[in-house]
Amino acid sequence: MTDLPVTVVPVGGGAFAPYDVVVGRGLLATAGQRIAPLTRGRTVVISDETVAAIHGPALSASLTAAGVANQIIAVPAGEGSKSFAELERLMDRLLEAGLDRKDVVVALGGGVVGDLAGLAAALYMRGIDFVQVPTTLLAQVDSSVGGKTAIDTPRGKNLVGAFHQPRLVLADIDVLATLPPVQLRSGWAEVLKHGLICDAAFFDWLSGDGAGGATGDPAALERAVVRSVEIKTGIVGEDEKEAGRRALLNLGHTFGHAVEAELGFEEAALAHGEAVALGCVLAFQYSARLGLCDPEEVETVDAAIAAAGLPTRLKQAGDFTADALIARMAGDKKAEGGRLTLVIARAIGDAFVEKTVDAADLKAFLQEQGAA
Ligand SMILES: NC(=O)c1ccc[n+]([C@@H]2O[C@H](COP(=O)([O-])OP(=O)(O)OC[C@H]3O[C@@H](n4cnc5c(N)ncnc54)[C@H](O)[C@@H]3O)[C@@H](O)[C@H]2O)c1
Ligand SMILES: O=C(O)C(=O)C[C@@H](O)[C@H](O)[C@H](O)COP(=O)(O)O
Ligand SMILES: [Zn+2]
């Protein structure tokens, strides 16, 4: 096993089997040794074409060295792969590979691969185990942890899915070195979100001394990943299936998902984290409009998000009508009986779920923000 220090964040406390999130450097090279005990000597690695070409060989060699026979199935890179069509192709390839119920699959990639492979694992023979090896910042800080798996439909984001927790998560900070800058920024948005939800001191650090993480500083990235995972696992351990507190992790997402759905998933014009960044600014602006949050706090949020090179204005994402955005928001999974639900905030680090959002007021707000 590697001599490099790692941080192990245990996930548990819920109704699911506990597992570890291991964060550190050089983890890909020793991944085989960590994954081998979970397998019966073989696995299928699910990746996307970009990640498979860059990091597939190292993972494959590590598995082989640990005595785990392996093959890689690669789906096209991008949000378009979170689709029924790609799920069907993937299920068929898993069946063709001859996996049985005791086999384990490994997801090597960003949130798209993790969400798709996780759902495939949840469905394959009614559920087999899977391991997450996240290769984007977003996947390391967020999507690989907590067991939400899903595909999109033209009607909206993540509307078909399952809760299916991984057996193990291996977050190797070194793989982030090959990530395009836009993807680092996108992941940084979910990191900032964690601070905005419940840790003002973390948010201060992210906007100050830790800001280099947004452009790839490995030490800042490692600290940001560890703290994000601690925050997320703390919430998921209490509320796996989003009966209550887990909805906080959706800060920025009701607006963000509406924007993503309006833009379309096939050729996603905006990365998920970019949409979330914009959504967080809108959530804080709306909180100030309701008189809940000090406008100065909104400016601080706006400035930190803009400084990370992330969008803060609706017009930066495209042209939208308020009615279309509200229709999308009403179809969000948090909405109950058609009632709009939003995660808003009293202050940085103090977000809460608001279940009675006035549609007419929200429409006026979106129009003030540039929607038609
Ligand atoms: N399940 C959850 O809890 C959860 C949480 C947050 C986001 N998500 C979902 O995650 C998805 C977004 O994930 P993402 O931002 O990781 O996008 P992604 O998986 O599409 O990856 C972004 C791009 O980076 C490339 N890439 C990945 N790792 C790389 C590396 N190390 N080097 C070079 N290129 C690399 C990919 O090929 C892709 O082109 C969205 O669908 C979102 O809904 C899910
Ligand atoms: O883990 C969660 O819970 C989250 O909400 C994390 C989000 O960042 C993530 O994008 C998630 O996929 C959104 O979930 P959804 O239920 O709104 O589709
Ligand atoms: Zn998200």
Side-chain angles (χ1 to χ4, degrees):
M1 206 76 74
T2 177
D3 290 323
L4 295 170
V6 296
T7 304
V8 178
V9 184
V11 193
F16 55 89
Y19 58 94
D20 286 340
V21 181
V22 184
V23 183
R25 306 193 58 175
L27 279 176
L28 210 55
T30 56
Q33 293 166 59
R34 294 182 192 272
I35 294 170
L38 305 176
T39 75
R40 291 186 306 164
R42 66 170 178 173
T43 190
V44 168
V45 177
I46 301 167
S47 191
D48 74 31
E49 284 159 4
T50 305
V51 177
I54 305 174
H55 297 295
L59 179 60
S60 183
S62 168
L63 287 163
T64 304
V68 182
N70 60 90
Q71 69 180 87
I72 297 188
I73 295 175
V75 303
E79 187 72 28
S81 281
K82 278 178 58 172
S83 66
F84 270 116
E86 208 49 56
L87 178 66
E88 185 179 359
R89 269 192 289 278
L90 177 57
M91 297 306 291
D92 190 53
R93 290 167 83 178
L94 293 176
L95 289 163
E96 188 182 41
L99 294 184
D100 67 35
R101 269 190 171 160
K102 298 283 180 207
D103 281 318
V104 175
V105 293
V106 177
L108 172 72
V112 165
V113 163
D115 280 13
L116 176 69
L119 181 57
L123 295 173
Y124 190 85
M125 295 189 176
R126 300 199 185 94
I128 61 172
D129 286 343
F130 82 119
V131 171
Q132 290 266 23
V133 184
T135 64
T136 62
L137 177 59
L138 182 141
Q140 295 192 355
V141 300
D142 194 349
S143 62
S144 63
V145 179
K148 274 191 181 177
T149 75
I151 54 171
D152 308 321
T153 90
R155 292 183 188 277
K157 280 278 289 186
N158 302 333
L159 293 181
V160 175
F163 288 97
H164 189 53
Q165 301 288 341
R167 289 285 307 279
L168 174 69
V169 181
L170 299 176
D172 183 347
I173 301 298
D174 287 340
V175 303
L176 304 180
T178 59
L179 209 53
V182 63
Q183 298 301 339
L184 266 182
R185 293 196 294 271
S186 172
W188 198 248
E190 301 272 24
V191 176
L192 290 167
K193 175 195 80 176
H194 288 132
L196 291 173
I197 292 171
C198 61
D199 190 342
F202 181 46
F203 184 83
D204 277 355
W205 177 78
L206 292 168
S207 349
D209 291 350
T215 48
D217 171 47
L221 280 171
E222 187 161 353
R223 185 164 159 188
V225 173
V226 169
R227 184 66 194 128
S228 287
V229 170
E230 285 170 351
I231 289 172
K232 180 157 186 183
T233 57
I235 292 174
V236 170
E238 282 176 21
D239 178 22
E240 181 194 14
K241 299 206 171 150
E242 204 171 292
R245 189 167 148 74
R246 183 165 184 169
L248 294 176
L249 295 172
N250 240 238
L251 176 65
H253 283 65
T254 319
F255 292 112
H257 278 174
V259 164
E260 284 185 273
E262 280 298 285
L263 293 172
F265 304 121
E266 265 314 314
E267 298 294 326
L270 211 59
H272 173 70
E274 293 180 303
V276 170
L278 169 60
C280 285
V281 174
L282 291 173
F284 269 78
Q285 278 168 338
Y286 193 58
S287 305
R289 179 189 167 92
L290 295 178
L292 295 164
C293 177
D294 184 338
E296 269 187 32
E297 294 260 301
V298 183
E299 277 171 35
T300 305
V301 174
D302 191 287
I305 291 179
L310 289 158
T312 56
R313 298 289 176 271
L314 209 46
K315 281 281 179 201
Q316 287 173 269
D319 291 326
F320 306 94
T321 68
D323 285 335
L325 290 174
I326 287 176
R328 297 284 188 185
M329 292 163 89
D332 180 72
K333 291 181 286 313
K334 293 187 299 305
E336 288 170 20
R339 261 186 308 142
L340 289 162
T341 297
L342 275 179
V343 183
I344 51 180
R346 295 178 200 93
I348 291 169
D350 187 9
F352 68 99
V353 181
E354 176 57 66
K355 290 194 174 188
T356 49
V357 176
D358 182 88
D361 187 49
L362 188 61
K363 180 172 175 175
F365 167 73
L366 287 169
Q367 287 171 332
E368 281 166 26
Q369 297 298 321

